[in-house]
Amino acid sequence: MSLFADIRRRFDLRPAKSLNLAGSPARTRPEASSTTSSGEPPCGRREPHGTAGTDDSAYLAIAEALHDGADVVPASDETGRRLAADGISLVEALDGLSALYRSIAGGEPAFAAVRALSSSWAEASLVYLHSLSCEDPLTGLSSLAHLRSRLGELYREAEFRGTSVPQTHALVVVEPLNPPGTTPFDRELRLVDVAECLRIVFCGGDVLGRVGSHRAAALVGREPNLPDQVATVRALITQWRLDTEVPQLARIWIEGLPGSDAMAGRLLDELART
């Protein structure tokens, strides 16, 4: 029995399971009112054409400091953290601060307020980014940064052991060929399928990563059966969608690795761009 037939037989015997497209739980918060009591749109929430209004709840501490003639730095620091936690961009946050100052003080924000808000916004955003998983929440594929990091480890190990990464490892790159008119959501679903097929074939310690918006890659060892594994991946992807007679086409190839870590990084960048 061929490798593909054996894998397919075992997969068909596996109990059906529903696909979780939700990924990691999203941060949620109560929706802010679209207008204030004065009829103005809230500040810090950008309107369709890029205009901003006043969000009294987000900027209340700064407003109180301005009315009382107090130091605005502590209030701006608090506001920057709150806006970052709410998912407001820095541009929107500064637009809101500017609108608040114009409405209360009749001018542009003080430098100290801008600096405090920007610094606390950046700090809170970095804390959030550092807490993120190294995997894409929808496909489960490793991020490009994680794939790059693993490649760096391989090159350092090879230098220590006196071996050659181009001779011991390679990338198996998969690019789904989506027909014209395919929606972004459908393209994401195709990558989910590709990721599942790669996991079935490369089920050991291989790193499976997302490369750009429309490609996946497996960092694998150059074993003698690598061409057979690639053929199995191609067969699985082609026949994955059993509810359609249209074959799921994809470009699949073995990408050789260059001689240095720096060149390998450039190779990943090129694969992610094209």
Side-chain angles (χ1 to χ4, degrees):
M1 179 181 294
S2 68
L3 176 61
F4 169 62
D6 180 57
I7 290 176
R8 195 53 190 264
R9 179 184 63 81
R10 285 183 283 145
F11 179 76
D12 289 340
L13 294 176
R14 194 174 59 177
K17 62 179 181 178
S18 59
L19 178 64
N20 177 18
L21 297 180
S24 302
R27 294 181 299 162
T28 59
R29 62 184 178 92
E31 289 297 326
S33 172
S34 60
T35 59
T36 64
S37 58
S38 62
E40 295 294 330
C43 184
R45 297 188 59 81
R46 190 166 296 278
E47 296 300 307
H49 299 291
T51 60
T54 302
D55 182 357
D56 291 335
S57 63
Y59 292 86
L60 181 60
I62 300 178
E64 290 178 346
L66 288 174
H67 282 301
D68 296 341
D71 185 5
V72 297
V73 170
S76 300
D77 183 84
E78 174 190 341
T79 299
R81 295 180 189 279
R82 176 176 176 180
L83 292 174
D86 285 349
I88 303 300
S89 73
L90 181 57
V91 171
E92 291 175 310
L94 292 176
D95 283 349
L97 182 66
S98 179
L100 180 71
Y101 260 79
R102 286 195 301 269
S103 65
I104 296 179
E108 290 302 313
F111 173 76
V114 173
R115 186 177 186 275
L117 185 146
S118 301
S119 297
S120 61
W121 183 96
E123 182 180 345
S125 298
L126 283 175
V127 169
Y128 170 70
L129 289 174
H130 290 163
S131 69
L132 292 176
S133 169
C134 63
E135 292 185 351
D136 176 49
L138 181 60
T139 63
L141 294 169
S142 297
S143 66
L144 184 62
H146 180 67
L147 186 58
R148 192 191 307 271
S149 176
R150 180 58 186 136
L151 266 174
E153 293 175 357
L154 286 179
Y155 279 93
R156 288 190 293 272
E157 291 173 3
E159 183 178 3
F160 177 76
R161 299 176 183 275
T163 57
S164 170
V165 173
Q167 294 178 4
T168 59
H169 289 79
L171 289 172
V172 175
V173 184
V174 181
E175 178 184 339
L177 299 179
N178 298 300
T182 303
T183 65
F185 180 72
D186 287 335
R187 286 196 292 269
E188 289 296 304
L189 290 182
R190 287 295 313 280
L191 273 181
V192 172
D193 292 343
V194 166
E196 189 67 18
C197 294
L198 286 172
R199 287 190 196 95
I200 291 174
V201 178
F202 301 108
C203 54
D206 305 302
V207 178
L208 310 180
R210 180 165 184 164
V211 184
S213 61
H214 60 289
R215 284 176 179 161
L219 177 58
V220 301
R222 280 193 176 274
E223 303 296 336
N225 66 334
L226 181 58
D228 292 336
Q229 290 177 308
V230 172
T232 301
V233 171
R234 179 178 288 107
L236 280 173
I237 292 175
T238 301
Q239 302 181 31
W240 192 254
R241 290 287 179 181
L242 301 180
D243 56 347
T244 176
E245 296 180 356
V246 180
Q248 306 297 297
L249 302 179
R251 289 181 60 212
I252 306 174
W253 70 94
I254 299 174
E255 184 76 40
L257 291 170
S260 69
D261 185 15
M263 292 299 295
R266 295 192 186 99
L267 172 63
L268 287 180
D269 292 337
E270 185 68 21
L271 289 172
R273 281 195 300 267
T274 58

